[in-house]
Amino acid sequence: MSEIKTQTPNPPSHRFCIAPMLDWTDRFYRRFARELSQHTWLYTEMVNTGAIIHGDQMRHLRFDPAENPLALQLGGSEPADLAKCAKIAEQWGYNEVNLNVGCPSERVQSGSFGACLMLEPNLVADGVKAMRDACNIDVTVKHRIGIDKIEDYSFVRDFVGHVAKAGCNTFIVHARNAILKGLSPKENRDIPPLKYDYAYQLKRDFPQLEIIINGGITTIADSQIHLQHVDGVMVGREAYHNPWILTEVDAAIYGAAHIAKTRRAAMENLRGFVDAELSAGTPLRYVARHILGLYQGIHGARHWRRMLSDASLLKNADWRLIEEALNIVESRQESSNVSQNA
């Protein structure tokens, strides 16, 4: 074990979560997101059990303690491997281990995990039980509401009921079917219709379980509506492309003060992390690609994105490039305000 983290005691509830997103929710994005919300529950990208057991654990599991509360999402189906990874996740300081039973990609299906596992509730239950026996942190499941043409509510109801008996108390419900053949993962996020009422009904049928709803949620106002019916919400792409919405979460969802008053303040709070990464040899582009949406919808956003995605500017760049981008955006905003008031 190369590095062990300290687990945050008594982490907040799952009332607001950012979805695990491949190539997006890496440790650099998560550390940035934590500067915008202290209470949002963060998830890693999905990591295959084989990569953890046989691969570079430092690469796959490393995180900054400030990221907590944080969950490791696993892709796999072999109970013994899942148990090993759950124990490792606990040792590294994760607050939760989450089993992916929702990804519809053919590559994932070929490995016998992801959404196709909804057709094998006994195997999912065995995996959950093995993980629960191996660790003392939460074991949760993220899943769809159906597979292909299986659209009856009873399918997801029976799946949740069966897996809950194995010791899973928290279910993250992506309220769409997974189409295993004929749709890409991207199309699977948009084309199958959303059926939020299925998630609401799960909460009514299983009031003792924690039910978190996912799919198509883009605003804090929408989140608050869903929270009248379920225990938590999970937001995906909107939290990545328009990250400033996270500054509303602590007050609106958790009743706590948020920490970032301005976008500049958020970036200045992140500077210590960025400087440490640069000193360790991490290229600035690893961080910069995740902050491009910071000024989404704000005058000057195009200049911000252009500077921090320019390969020639990013080469050998340090914090001064971010500082310069901040200054240019603020200058553009001041000029716009002057012209509007003239």
Side-chain angles (χ1 to χ4, degrees), residues 289-311:
R289 75 185 188 95
H290 295 301
I291 63 177
L292 297 180
L294 181 61
Y295 284 91
Q296 177 74 16
I298 300 296
H299 189 78
R302 183 164 56 90
H303 299 279
W304 173 261
R305 292 193 301 268
R306 179 186 297 168
M307 289 190 67
L308 294 178
S309 60
D310 187 318

Side-chain angles (χ1 to χ4, degrees), residues 19-328:
M21 294 177 281
L22 194 62
D23 296 326
W24 288 5
T25 53
D26 64 15
R27 66 186 185 89
F28 302 106
Y29 169 76
R30 298 191 308 261
R31 186 61 183 82
F32 167 56
R34 184 57 71 217
E35 289 302 335
L36 307 180
S37 170
Q38 289 183 308
H39 297 287
T40 293
W41 203 290
L42 303 177
Y43 284 75
T44 69
E45 306 166 88
M46 183 186 70
V47 184
N48 188 294
T49 53
I52 294 174
I53 295 171
H54 306 294
D56 183 347
Q57 288 188 8
M58 177 65 79
R59 173 190 168 197
H60 294 297
L61 300 180
R62 178 185 176 192
F63 67 91
D64 189 291
E67 294 174 38
N68 279 311
L70 176 65
L72 171 66
Q73 188 184 64
L74 292 176
S77 60
E78 172 55 47
D81 290 347
L82 291 170
K84 288 179 184 177
C85 291
K87 185 62 177 177
I88 292 169
E90 180 180 32
Q91 292 170 340
W92 273 78
Y94 285 89
N95 299 109
E96 170 194 333
V97 58
N98 174 263
L99 180 61
N100 184 319
V101 190
C103 183
S105 79
E106 292 189 11
R107 182 170 63 87
V108 168
Q109 293 175 52
S110 66
S112 298
F113 59 93
C116 62
L117 283 178
M118 287 196 74
L119 297 171
E120 301 186 68
N122 288 334
L123 183 56
V124 175
D126 289 345
V128 165
K129 185 179 186 306
M131 289 189 285
R132 290 275 293 172
D133 290 344
C135 71
N136 294 310
I137 58 177
D138 284 344
V139 174
T140 68
V141 171
K142 187 175 189 293
H143 60 92
R144 296 281 183 130
I145 58 172
I147 300 294
D148 294 326
K149 294 183 179 180
I150 303 175
E151 298 184 355
D152 192 82
Y153 168 73
S154 63
F155 176 76
V156 68
R157 179 200 63 201
D158 293 348
F159 172 83
V160 168
H162 191 77
V163 176
K165 291 178 182 178
C168 182
N169 297 314
T170 299
F171 291 83
I172 302 168
V173 185
H174 187 161
R176 304 180 194 267
N177 268 38
I179 308 302
L180 300 183
K181 299 293 182 182
L183 292 184
S184 69
K186 181 180 184 300
E187 290 170 329
N188 260 289
R189 293 193 298 266
D190 297 311
I191 293 177
L194 285 162
K195 297 180 180 178
Y196 292 137
D197 56 311
Y198 279 30
Y200 297 168
Q201 187 61 47
L202 283 172
K203 182 59 186 177
R204 289 192 291 268
D205 288 345
F206 302 98
Q208 76 279 14
L209 299 179
E210 184 180 38
I211 303 296
I212 302 165
I213 197 167
N214 172 231
I217 303 169
T218 60
T219 69
I220 303 304
D222 287 344
S223 299
Q224 291 171 318
I225 293 172
H226 288 302
L227 287 171
Q228 297 174 25
H229 304 279
V230 292
D231 301 295
V233 297
M234 176 174 277
V235 175
R237 288 162 287 169
E238 188 69 15
Y240 188 89
H241 292 305
N242 185 20
W244 194 247
I245 69 166
L246 297 177
T247 60
E248 302 176 49
V249 170
D250 291 355
I253 305 297
Y254 290 97
H258 67 77
I259 54 177
K261 303 298 184 183
T262 66
R263 289 168 172 81
R264 174 179 282 276
M267 292 310 305
E268 289 176 345
N269 289 342
L270 191 65
R271 179 170 182 171
F273 169 78
V274 174
D275 286 343
E277 287 294 330
L278 294 174
S279 296
T282 301
L284 183 62
R285 68 177 184 275
Y286 283 34
V287 176
R289 75 185 188 95
H290 295 301
I291 63 177
L292 297 180
L294 181 61
Y295 284 91
Q296 177 74 16
I298 300 296
H299 189 78
R302 183 164 56 90
H303 299 279
W304 173 261
R305 292 193 301 268
R306 179 186 297 168
M307 289 190 67
L308 294 178
S309 60
D310 187 318
S312 61
L313 293 178
L314 286 167
K315 187 177 182 180
N316 301 320
D318 57 21
W319 179 262
R320 287 172 292 184
L321 179 63
I322 293 177
E323 182 71 30
E324 183 180 355
L326 287 168
N327 290 338
I328 288 176

